[in-house]
Amino acid sequence: MNLSGVLFFPVTPFGADGTLAEEVLAEHIRQGMEHGPGGVFVACGTGEFSALSEAEHARAVRVAAEVVAGRVPVFAGAGGPIGTALNQARAAREAGTDGLLLMPPYLAQGPAHGFAAYVAAVAAELPVIVYQRGAVVLEPEAVVELAGLPGVIGLKDGLGDIDRMQRTVLAVREVYPDFLFFNGLPTAELTMPAYRGIGVELYSSAVFAFAPEIALAYLKGDERLLTEFYAPLVRLRGKVPGYPVSLVKAGVRLRGLDVGTVRPPLVEVTGEHLEELEALIKTGLGLAAS
């Protein structure tokens, strides 16, 4: 599957009454598509995957598939209890998406072969990128086993253990050279120099959701953005748990699209932090335009 460039992870908009705002989601994705992302990942972490009902998830995925209309691959989030993950996978397949980003199952943990069975069941519905984060910490040999399962096409790393990832990349590519690896850390641009050093070029860009101009300028090699935009953004992100999502949604609102607020347990960005974010966006846009 051809995934390249900046990968777009849209937020999930909610209306004033708290319900899914499908038309706003469609507009959000339309605006993002104007900047040429290499793929769209809907109802994933930035899209508040864990806060969506199965019905909301299915509607959000269908909206994304309809707006993108085959121009780039569309992936949907899936995960949690096996029954829920399968329902989400089937809804995504029926909507016409290209694959799934498989989140870790909640609470229940088993041995490596148990997790492999979980992944295999979901991958029978659609191609799967496994998300390594939280309780899912995989040894290189376990990833080799997963890479050999039908339908498993990639691994997204949300741990940031470069030593583990280097050993994993080497072990997997020796057997499966076309297997995909992604940097899935929040504000991934800041750590991309390290990931590129171990052969991982793909990454998810939360910034693309609210400032695609900045994300594309970084992709073209503007290293000034690392010190003047991304590093300060990471410092701001670390001030409150949940800000990796809340800041993105606030950024979309600051750029003129009312996508509503985040759902609990996430919290809204404070007024002081919102001012910091607005100033950072202004700085980043200035650099991108220069």
Side-chain angles (χ1 to χ4, degrees):
M1 187 175 296
N2 184 25
L3 286 167
S4 61
V6 180
L7 304 179
F8 176 25
F9 284 66
V11 302
T12 300
F14 302 120
D17 60 356
T19 61
L20 179 68
E22 296 182 37
E23 288 302 318
V24 181
L25 175 59
E27 179 60 23
H28 180 38
I29 296 172
R30 277 193 291 267
Q31 291 181 7
M33 288 298 296
E34 292 175 359
H35 295 271
V40 175
F41 286 68
V42 64
C44 294
T46 305
E48 296 181 74
F49 164 81
S50 62
L52 301 177
S53 70
E54 286 186 27
E56 290 172 327
H57 174 278
R59 295 203 305 275
V61 170
R62 185 168 295 279
V63 167
E66 289 175 353
V67 172
V68 175
R71 288 175 287 173
V72 297
V74 175
F75 280 71
I82 185 65
T84 300
L86 289 172
N87 287 342
Q88 291 164 335
R90 289 162 186 157
R93 186 190 65 210
E94 291 169 5
T97 64
D98 299 279
L100 305 167
L101 178 61
L102 186 58
M103 311 289 184
Y106 305 150
L107 298 178
Q109 295 183 38
H113 65 272
F115 181 65
Y118 173 88
V119 173
V122 180
E125 301 293 334
L126 274 175
V128 158
I129 297 167
V130 175
Y131 202 170
Q132 174 175 247
R133 61 179 294 180
V136 175
V137 181
L138 302 167
E139 293 299 325
E141 55 270 22
V143 182
V144 173
E145 178 185 355
L146 291 175
L149 296 174
V152 179
I153 64 171
L155 177 75
K156 182 179 180 182
D157 179 53
L159 299 178
D161 185 335
I162 295 296
D163 175 86
R164 180 188 298 273
M165 274 300 292
Q166 178 68 94
R167 290 184 287 113
T168 299
V169 169
L170 292 173
V172 173
R173 286 189 173 156
E174 185 176 359
V175 185
Y176 304 105
D178 296 328
F179 194 75
L180 302 173
F181 288 97
F182 304 77
N183 174 0
L185 292 177
T187 322
E189 286 91 342
L190 191 64
T191 53
M192 275 313 296
Y195 275 85
R196 288 193 181 104
I198 62 170
V200 177
E201 295 288 340
L202 294 169
Y203 64 97
S204 54
S205 176
V207 170
F208 188 92
F210 64 87
E213 306 94 331
I214 297 172
L216 292 173
Y218 170 76
L219 185 67
K220 294 174 183 175
D222 191 341
E223 297 296 326
R224 299 173 300 168
L225 288 165
L226 286 180
T227 55
E228 298 182 49
F229 174 77
Y230 284 106
L233 181 64
V234 167
R235 287 194 291 272
L236 178 58
R237 187 197 74 202
K239 292 182 177 181
V240 177
Y243 264 18
V245 176
S246 301
L247 284 172
V248 176
K249 210 161 196 180
V252 177
R253 293 196 304 269
L254 285 172
R255 296 301 305 280
L257 186 63
D258 185 3
V259 290
T261 58
V262 293
R263 284 179 171 173
L266 299 180
V267 297
E268 281 301 297
V269 176
T270 67
E272 177 186 356
H273 294 161
L274 193 64
E275 290 179 2
E276 288 186 49
L277 177 61
E278 188 171 19
L280 279 175
I281 293 173
K282 183 178 180 180
T283 297
L285 290 173
L287 289 171
S290 65

